[in-house]
Amino acid sequence: MATIKETVSEEIFYSFQMDDKSIAGMTYKNAGNFYPDGSNGKAFELAKKALEITCFYSAVSDKLIIMRAEKHGDEVICFPDNSMLKTTQLFCDGVIYRGTGAVIFFPGGCPGISFRDTQANLSGMLHGGWKPITKGIVKKFLNEWQIAGGKPENTKIKFLPSICEKCLTYESEYFYSVVAPEIRTLLNDKKIADKFHYNRDNKKIHFLLNFLVVYLLEKSGYNGISAFPECTCDKHQKYWCYRHDDGKEKRRNAAFIITI
């Protein structure tokens, strides 16, 4: 079987090589709209389309998890035994699997965060929206990761294109009444929590969501984090972004991690 490096073409999607058997990435706008619109059947069709674009459908079609990250909760599902991994849809915000397989979900700006431990042969995808993060999903994900054999010193972590802190803004009233209390509860430290947002010109509140996730990862001993890629909002000509493209119809990208 060809390695990832020998096979990948990036004409209509962004990708990052996690190792010689695994990539993580996300489709561009020119790949089409990957919003499943609540349809299980359509979600399967879109996941298949994403895998065909990457040329890895035949390699992982029987071990594909469609992560329907629509509940914005803290559930993480782990498949420590590859024989248990079957193509299916799961309503959760984190998936971990061993060996050959893939996870695909459909973000429109929220962070998709990929994990790979080559020695343990573990791969994973985490939906890094602010609600799952403030509900404590990072801690739950890392706990499942380590139970399955993943180690901080061997784990490579990559954020996929997502909205950056310059573009992730909220009205002050909403942020301070809804978002800020959740961050403070998560961190149990108001002084530290307040470092992850700032006010510019007394207007919008900018939320440093990606940096909050990095803080939580590093606090748990995970330092193999690659630099942030492009912002989906700033580069909305290239990626779908809910702040620019949502109207009567929603539009989403396909984010993935694939291990052959």
Side-chain angles (χ1 to χ4, degrees):
M1 182 181 291
T3 66
I4 291 287
K5 187 175 181 180
E6 293 170 340
T7 310
V8 169
S9 171
E10 295 189 15
E11 295 179 359
I12 52 178
F13 65 91
Y14 161 89
S15 73
F16 177 86
Q17 188 171 343
M18 304 295 285
D19 59 24
D20 66 349
K21 292 294 183 181
S22 186
I23 62 167
M26 195 164 73
T27 54
Y28 297 141
K29 269 187 174 182
N30 61 8
N33 181 10
F34 285 83
Y35 181 61
D37 197 21
S39 167
N40 293 336
K42 189 173 182 180
F44 273 113
E45 292 175 10
L46 294 173
K48 178 181 178 182
K49 178 182 176 181
L51 288 178
E52 288 175 339
I53 286 171
T54 64
C55 300
F56 289 115
Y57 178 71
S58 61
V60 297
S61 62
D62 62 337
K63 294 184 181 295
L64 163 66
I65 297 299
I66 304 171
M67 187 172 78
R68 298 289 294 276
E70 299 163 23
K71 292 185 176 180
H72 297 267
D74 62 353
E75 185 172 4
V76 178
I77 298 177
C78 181
F79 295 89
D81 181 350
N82 186 260
S83 66
M84 299 167 58
L85 184 60
K86 308 293 183 183
T87 293
T88 188
Q89 294 187 58
L90 299 171
F91 285 86
C92 61
D93 289 85
V95 172
I96 299 167
Y97 64 93
R98 190 184 308 280
T100 300
V103 176
I104 292 180
F105 82 112
F106 310 111
C110 288
I113 307 164
S114 58
F115 293 73
R116 175 68 177 162
D117 183 328
T118 303
Q119 293 190 29
N121 200 14
L122 284 178
S123 306
M125 181 68 80
L126 176 66
H127 170 216
W130 77 263
K131 290 182 179 180
I133 296 304
T134 56
K135 288 178 181 178
I137 196 171
V138 172
K139 183 177 181 180
K140 289 191 174 184
F141 186 96
L142 297 179
N143 183 57
E144 292 290 338
W145 187 257
Q146 291 182 202
I147 289 173
K151 296 182 178 180
E153 62 270 23
N154 298 333
T155 300
K156 181 181 289 186
I157 302 170
K158 178 63 178 178
F159 284 69
L160 299 178
S162 63
I163 190 168
C164 73
E165 74 279 1
K166 293 180 181 179
C167 300
L168 185 56
T169 61
Y170 297 88
E171 297 293 340
S172 297
E173 182 178 354
Y174 177 82
F175 185 85
Y176 286 121
S177 64
V178 178
V179 184
E182 297 292 337
I183 304 171
R184 292 168 185 168
T185 298
L186 172 71
L187 300 178
N188 195 30
D189 190 317
K190 180 181 182 300
K191 187 175 180 180
I192 294 176
D194 288 348
K195 292 181 178 180
F196 294 103
H197 62 84
Y198 63 88
N199 185 307
R200 177 173 292 170
D201 300 326
N202 295 317
K203 295 181 180 179
K204 300 285 188 177
I205 304 299
H206 296 254
F207 181 20
L208 286 72
L209 175 59
N210 285 339
F211 290 94
L212 173 60
V213 179
V214 170
Y215 171 81
L216 295 169
L217 291 168
E218 292 183 342
K219 187 178 179 182
S220 296
Y222 289 78
N223 297 299
I225 305 169
S226 299
F228 297 143
E230 295 175 315
C231 169
T232 53
C233 190
D234 183 53
K235 301 291 184 181
H236 62 273
Q237 299 89 349
K238 182 185 290 189
Y239 304 98
W240 299 116
C241 182
Y242 69 96
R243 297 209 169 201
H244 286 274
D245 299 304
D246 277 6
K248 292 183 178 180
E249 180 183 8
K250 292 184 179 180
R251 296 174 174 84
R252 298 292 182 262
N253 312 289
F256 53 82
I257 184 165
I258 301 168
T259 310
I260 61 174

